Amino acid sequence: MSLDLRKLRYFVALAEHGNFGRAAQQLFIAQPVLSRQIRAFEQELGCTLLNRTTRRVELTAAGHQLHEEAKGILAAVEAGLRRVRDADRGVRRLMVAFAPGLHVSEAIRAFGEHHPEVEIDVVPAHWWEKDLPLRDGRAQVGFLRRPFDDTGLSMVSIGREPRVACLPTSHHLASRQELTLADLEGEPVLDTPTRRRTTSAEEKFELIASGHGIALVPLSVARTYSRPDLTHIPVTDVPAEETCLVAPTTTREPLVLAFLDIATTALRGD
């Protein structure tokens, strides 16, 4: 079965808006057209993607799974088309993924001094996908935090980063200088298997500030998203997270190898 990318984009827009009218507006098509396309897509896939009500639509289990898969599929297609256009124009480009809170700008500047002819773009590697940009073609190299699935990937260790507890300033532990996991026992910790999963750092910290939980995050993330109604406190018995440069083991691209060499020196401060 071939995948209709146009219908997939329609589905993603609908999944993100939860409403046929708003999704159709974004797509610049009529609402009945969108509805017909989605029903045709369900028939092609042989499964129900949506539970429809008079006010909004809700994703089924299959719909949720397709929404997750679709983001990677569409990103990979866009990355492939960009490489085609670059080849046509003779452009040399390096795509660098980076985890939230990690700053790869110093490495990019150092690389640019040696290779000013290369265009460099950056790709956020969100917490729920980590190594995926390196696997679906969106990036050739990444500056990431472990753990992630390292199958087929080569890594260069850069350092270790402590994790801190991020709390609202009104929290009863907010005045402490340091904490242990025992101090946090019973606290609702976001983004754990039994608690609410967030889809962005902004959502995570908004929920924390409004009293809907706390989070254990790398120190650089807490500093990046610093705000007056939040505080972060070291947790002394939580293992630090390793930061590393990552590239596919099979890569032989001279630009990637050169970036790894230059970035390792720049990021380690050697």
Side-chain angles (χ1 to χ4, degrees), residues 136-237:
D136 65 19
R138 280 177 287 164
Q140 297 140 285
V141 63
F143 185 28
L144 309 176
R145 294 187 190 87
R146 300 189 77 176
F148 51 80
D149 178 11
D150 59 9
T151 306
L153 298 176
S154 297
M155 285 160 290
V156 179
S157 181
I158 298 300
R160 302 188 71 81
E161 184 178 14
R163 285 191 290 170
V164 298
C166 188
L167 316 167
T169 53
S170 58
H171 196 281
H172 70 278
L173 295 173
S175 61
R176 295 278 294 273
Q177 296 301 304
E178 61 182 31
L179 297 167
T180 65
L181 286 174
D183 295 322
L184 300 175
E185 188 173 353
E187 294 287 340
V189 181
L190 298 175
D191 295 331
T192 59
T194 58
R195 297 297 303 181
R196 180 170 181 169
R197 308 289 289 187
T198 58
T199 58
S200 68
E202 291 81 5
E203 179 189 0
K204 184 198 299 282
F205 292 114
E206 195 64 34
L207 287 171
I208 295 170
S210 59
H212 284 82
I214 69 169
L216 294 173
V217 299
L219 178 59
S220 63
V221 174
R223 287 174 172 169
T224 298
Y225 292 92
S226 176
R227 44 190 284 177
D229 51 358
L230 295 178
T231 187
H232 57 268
I233 304 171
V235 182
T236 58
D237 55 350

Side-chain angles (χ1 to χ4, degrees), residues 91-105:
V91 172
R92 302 179 74 200
R93 187 186 306 275
L94 187 67
M95 303 295 296
V96 182
F98 67 99
L102 294 182
H103 300 294
V104 74
S105 53

Side-chain angles (χ1 to χ4, degrees), residues 221-260:
V221 174
R223 287 174 172 169
T224 298
Y225 292 92
S226 176
R227 44 190 284 177
D229 51 358
L230 295 178
T231 187
H232 57 268
I233 304 171
V235 182
T236 58
D237 55 350
V238 171
E241 292 189 343
E242 183 183 8
T243 61
C244 51
L245 288 166
V246 187
T249 302
T250 55
T251 188
R252 294 294 181 268
E253 293 182 64
L255 286 182
V256 174
L257 299 178
F259 183 86
L260 288 171

Side-chain angles (χ1 to χ4, degrees), residues 26-46:
Q26 178 196 315
L27 295 165
F28 299 103
I29 61 175
Q31 184 173 328
V33 173
L34 176 59
S35 181
R36 286 196 299 271
Q37 291 290 318
I38 296 299
R39 286 196 182 279
F41 197 30
E42 289 177 311
Q43 290 171 359
E44 290 171 15
L45 294 175

